[in-house]
Amino acid sequence: MEIKAIRMFDGGFMHQEFAFGGESKEGTDPQINYRSSLQNFLIDTGEEVILVDTGFQNDMQAPEKKLGAPLYMGEKLKDYMEAFAELGYKPEQVSKILVTHKHPDHSAALQYFPNAKIYMGPEDADDMKLPEGGNIIRAQYGQPFKNFPNAQEVAPGVWFIEAKGHTKGNSIIIAECDGLFYMFHGDVTYCDAALKANRLSIVFEDLAAARQTLDRVRQFIKDNPTVYLSTHCPEGYENLEMKRVMTL
């Protein structure tokens, strides 16, 4: 199994209040910033090519840099499809897309992959008004995985896991390879510092569920050697490059 980052933006920032302030802004400092970026991921199992999320659609206009913005993704490196192609793959090779949630930085390029089955939490698929059947698969969580009660194995060693909170249909993906667990968590946290500080961001649809999900994520990381693959901070691709196991 090979896991690769599809990098789209880098060199950005996020305010601590944005990354840490979901349950309370007490103790946050508006002058503290964390690095920001945008990347999604690809899993090559040797048998099939699986995407975890897709970025924005081609030619998406990058937001302007505003120093007071809570989140600035950074300078645009490439369109999602350009970054995908540079890894050496063609859209027709992708057999599955595992969508952590409905937001467009995770789902707007789905239409470019004609042969892919698209897995998504049912609530988010409904919110996006995706059709029933065909290549759209609303997740059917039928078994537990470690300390997560609702999961579905979508390929050998690759688990699609219910993780509500950020959105009502939010999911995470965990891939097991060579004794390590690679956790693709979408936006459970926006930066690794928030994971370590046990803080939720200000972006959620169900705060109680988001807290439960973060608790489960942290317990999993304490119990299993986990490479934490974030979408919105450079540690996402740095952790992958170094196979750096998260410690809490």
Side-chain angles (χ1 to χ4, degrees):
M1 181 184 293
E2 287 187 89
I3 299 170
K4 303 177 183 182
I6 301 174
R7 295 178 54 192
M8 295 160 279
F9 289 78
D10 209 349
F13 58 82
M14 67 183 80
H15 289 178
Q16 190 181 67
E17 284 186 347
F18 171 85
F20 282 34
E23 291 168 304
S24 172
K25 292 184 179 179
E26 184 177 354
T28 64
D29 186 339
Q31 296 186 33
I32 294 177
N33 289 337
Y34 299 100
R35 295 184 299 157
S36 181
S37 61
L38 179 64
Q39 59 275 333
N40 297 148
F41 297 93
L42 178 151
I43 304 170
D44 186 339
T45 69
E47 299 294 328
E48 57 182 328
V49 178
I50 300 171
L51 300 181
V52 178
D53 289 337
T54 69
F56 295 108
Q57 64 187 11
N58 290 344
D59 301 321
M60 173 267 195
Q61 192 69 32
E64 293 183 8
K65 183 177 183 179
K66 295 182 180 179
L67 292 180
L71 171 67
Y72 171 61
M73 290 185 296
E75 298 296 325
K76 187 173 183 179
L77 303 176
K78 297 177 178 69
D79 279 331
Y80 178 84
M81 292 306 294
E82 182 184 2
F84 166 82
E86 286 192 358
L87 295 180
Y89 298 93
K90 296 180 179 180
E92 294 78 13
Q93 293 177 267
V94 175
S95 57
K96 296 184 177 79
I97 304 174
L98 313 179
V99 181
T100 62
H101 64 284
K102 62 189 177 184
H103 294 157
D105 50 337
H106 298 260
S107 66
L110 296 173
Q111 69 269 26
Y112 300 129
F113 299 94
N115 299 327
K117 296 184 181 299
I118 299 168
Y119 290 75
M120 186 179 293
E123 298 89 347
D124 279 13
D126 291 347
D127 282 351
M128 292 179 69
K129 296 181 171 51
L130 297 177
E132 297 279 353
N135 68 326
I136 306 298
I137 299 176
R138 285 161 169 78
Q140 298 179 345
Y141 309 106
Q143 59 192 118
F145 178 71
K146 303 290 186 177
N147 65 312
F148 294 100
N150 297 312
Q152 177 181 2
E153 191 172 22
V154 295
V158 181
W159 293 82
F160 194 78
I161 299 167
E162 185 179 61
K164 295 175 181 290
H166 180 65
T167 65
K168 293 178 181 178
N170 204 74
S171 305
I172 64 174
I173 292 90
I174 296 177
E176 186 175 2
C177 181
D178 297 332
L180 295 177
F181 295 89
Y182 293 83
M183 180 182 285
F184 312 82
H185 66 84
D187 297 347
V188 170
T189 62
Y190 274 80
C191 63
D192 289 15
L195 172 76
K196 293 179 180 181
N198 195 19
R199 302 290 293 264
L200 292 167
S201 84
I202 65 172
V203 185
F204 55 82
E205 292 184 349
D206 185 329
L207 181 57
R211 165 45 59 191
Q212 185 177 63
T213 288
L214 182 56
D215 288 346
R216 285 175 175 156
V217 164
R218 285 172 53 84
Q219 189 61 54
F220 183 93
I221 289 170
K222 291 175 182 178
D223 294 341
N224 304 278
T226 303
V227 181
Y228 192 68
L229 299 179
S230 295
T231 298
H232 288 286
C233 66
E235 287 94 331
Y237 61 80
E238 293 170 354
N239 291 344
L240 178 60
E241 289 170 359
M242 294 183 277
K243 297 184 179 180
R244 181 164 58 197
V245 172
M246 177 61 69
T247 58
L248 299 177

